[in-house]
Amino acid sequence: MSAADATILLVDDHSVVREGYRSVLQKQPGLRVVAEAADGAEAYRLFKSEAPDLVIMDLSMPGIGGIEAIRRIRQWDKGARILVFTMHQNAGFAVQAIRAGARGYVTKMSPPETLVRAVMDVLAGKIAISPDIDHELALSRISGESSAADVLTPREFEVLRLLLAEQTTEEIAETLHVSPKTVANLHSLIKDKLGVDSDIELVRLALRQGILTQVDLGEA
Amino acid sequence: MSAADATILLVDDHSVVREGYRSVLQKQPGLRVVAEAADGAEAYRLFKSEAPDLVIMDLSMPGIGGIEAIRRIRQWDKGARILVFTMHQNAGFAVQAIRAGARGYVTKMSPPETLVRAVMDVLAGKIAISPDIDHELALSRISGESSAADVLTPREFEVLRLLLAEQTTEEIAETLHVSPKTVANLHSLIKDKLGVDSDIELVRLALRQGILTQVDLGEA
DNA sequence: CGAGTGCCGGGAAAATTTCACGACGTTGCA
DNA sequence: TGCAACGTCGTGAAATTTTCCCGGCACTCG
C-alpha cells in the first residue's frame, strides 16, 4: 500500500455486499478501502474522521438515506467525491443523487468492470454514469413526463422517501433534525407539486415512478 | 477441491453481490461454488444441469422471482436444498419461501458468519432461519399483521378496495350510495382494524397482501 | 326472544392539512 | 459588487379531516 493509494469509504447496509465491493476493488492496484459504514449517519461520521478520496454509497439504507448523506457530506466538504452504487435502476434517483452532489451513479446490475471504471473516472474528476442509467435518462427525456425528481428539491425528495418508508411525521422530523411542522409543510408541498390530493395517490405515483419499489415493502 | 466438497449454485441478479458471497464462502473449507445465475429461469436451468448440493438464492430478481424458482426446482427435485439470502426482513416473505420449499432464510443484513452458519446447517439437513427473521416471525405471531380479508367485513373490504382505486371520499360515497361521513368513518375503522396509523401504511399493507397489485397502477 | 354483529350516519372534540408570511443563507447572474 | 431567485425552516391561524362516542336499523343464530 503506497502512500499514493486512493482511499475509499464503503457505505452499504448489507455486510456481504460490502464484501463484494472489497473483493472487486482489491484486484485493482492503487485503491485502498479504509472504512465501511452501514448507514448514512455513520457514513457522515466516518467521512469527517477519515477524509477518504472517494465514497462508494448505496442509497436505500435505514435511518437517513443515501441522498441525505450525500447532502451532508458535500455540505461538510464541497470537494467530496461520492459514487452512488445502488440497485435502483431509475432515472429519478440518479437525477436526485447527482443534484445532491454525487459524482457518479452505477447500478448493482452492472458488471464489476463498470464499477471499477466508474471509480477510476470519478477519482480522475469525471462524472460516471452506468450505461443502463444513461438509457433510462434518455428515455425519460423522450417521454417528457415530469417525474417527481424533476420538480422536487433534494430536501423534498428526501422527505418523500422517508414518508414512504418511515411511519410518522414526528419520526421523520427527528431523523432530519427539523420541527414536525416543517415536515408537515413539506408533505403538503410535495403533494401540491406532484399534483396529488391524497397520500394514497402519492404512494401510487411513487410506485409508478419507481421511487418506492416492491422490495421496499419488506420492513413490515 | 476434493470430491467431497459441497457444490453450490449462487443466484442473485447483482454480480457484485455474488462476488460477495464467493468471497465469504471461499474462506470456508469444504464448499465450492460451481455455478452462478442472475435470474430464476437461469437458476432452474443450471440446477438441472449441475445438480448442486445447495442453492443460495435471492428473492427479488427480474423475470420469474425467487419464490417461483424455488417451487420449480423443488418440483424437479424434491430433495433440493435451497437457502434464501435476501434483503427482505419480512416474516411474510420468509413464510412464503419456506412454504415453497426453501430450507433456510437469511437476510443480507446478517453478518457473514450467519450466512456461513446457515449454509452449514442446511447442508447438514437442518432448517436455518436468521435471528432477525426469527424475531419478525415471533412478532407477527404476537401482534400479527392481520390479513385484511380476514378481519374486515365485506363492506369494509369493498371500501378499502375503492380507497386504493378511487380518489376522494366523496366519489366513493357516491359509488356506494352512502354519505361521505360513512365512508370517512369506515376509512378510520379500517385503519384501526388493520393496525395502521396512516394511509401510506395502509397502501403498503395492501401491496404486501396483494389487494393492490403493482401492475394495476397504470390508470392514474 | 335476546344477544351478537354488520351497516349507516350524526355531533363534537382532536388532530392534521393547508395557506400566508417572514427569516436566513446560497447561488447565479447582470 | 449587488441583488434577485431559490431552497430551507419555522410560526400562526383557518379550514378540513380524522377520530371517538353515540344511537338506530336489519339480520342471524341459539
Side-chain angles (χ1 to χ4, degrees), chain A residues 61-75:
Chain A
M61 292 180 295
I64 76 168
I67 301 279
E68 177 68 14
I70 292 170
R71 251 175 48 91
R72 293 193 190 176
I73 289 175
R74 292 278 298 189
Q75 204 164 344

Side-chain angles (χ1 to χ4, degrees), chain B residues 107-128:
Chain B
T107 65
K108 286 183 181 173
M109 312 284 288
S110 309
E113 306 87 69
T114 300
L115 173 60
V116 171
R117 175 57 175 275
V119 166
M120 293 312 187
D121 282 352
V122 171
L123 281 172
K126 299 182 207 164
I127 299 280

Side-chain angles (χ1 to χ4, degrees), chain B residues 15 34 47 75-76 78 80 92 100 153 156 169 176-177 180 194 198:
Chain B
S15 65
V34 295
F47 183 87
Q75 203 165 344
W76 167 267
K78 285 289 198 295
T153 67
E156 288 160 357
T169 298
L176 297 180
H177 305 296
L194 296 182
S198 68

Side-chain angles (χ1 to χ4, degrees), chain B residues 92-109:
Chain B
F93 280 7
V95 169
Q96 268 191 288
I98 301 290
R99 280 208 193 128
R103 306 297 301 271
Y105 192 104
V106 177
T107 65
K108 286 183 181 173
M109 312 284 288

Side-chain angles (χ1 to χ4, degrees), chain A residues 153 155 178-179 181-182 185:
Chain A
T153 66
R155 192 59 156 178
V178 298
S179 93
K181 184 71 186 183
T182 296
N185 279 338

Side-chain angles (χ1 to χ4, degrees), chain A residues 112-123:
Chain A
E113 307 88 69
T114 300
L115 174 60
V116 172
R117 175 58 176 274
V119 167
M120 293 311 187
D121 281 352
V122 171
L123 281 172

Side-chain angles (χ1 to χ4, degrees), chain A residues 15-95:
Chain A
S15 64
V16 172
V17 178
R18 293 200 301 272
E19 192 65 33
Y21 298 16
R22 269 187 184 281
S23 174
V24 168
L25 296 174
Q26 268 171 0
K27 294 170 185 162
Q28 199 66 14
L31 302 181
R32 186 153 51 98
V33 176
V34 294
E36 298 186 5
D39 61 59
E42 195 183 352
Y44 181 48
R45 218 161 39 239
L46 280 171
F47 183 87
K48 290 194 288 187
S49 66
E50 303 291 331
D53 297 315
L54 177 70
V55 180
I56 301 181
M57 168 130 42
D58 191 12
L59 287 188
S60 46
M61 292 180 295
I64 76 168
I67 301 279
E68 177 68 14
I70 292 170
R71 251 175 48 91
R72 293 193 190 176
I73 289 175
R74 292 278 298 189
Q75 204 164 344
W76 167 267
D77 175 4
K78 286 290 198 305
R81 283 172 175 167
I82 303 170
L83 171 61
V84 171
F85 185 56
T86 178
M87 62 178 304
H88 295 288
Q89 191 175 355
N90 175 284
F93 273 117
V95 169

Side-chain angles (χ1 to χ4, degrees), chain B residues 7-9 34 46-55 77 81:
Chain B
T7 56
I8 296 177
L9 166 63
V34 295
L46 280 171
F47 183 87
K48 289 194 290 187
S49 68
E50 302 292 331
D53 297 315
L54 176 70
V55 181
D77 175 3
R81 285 172 175 167

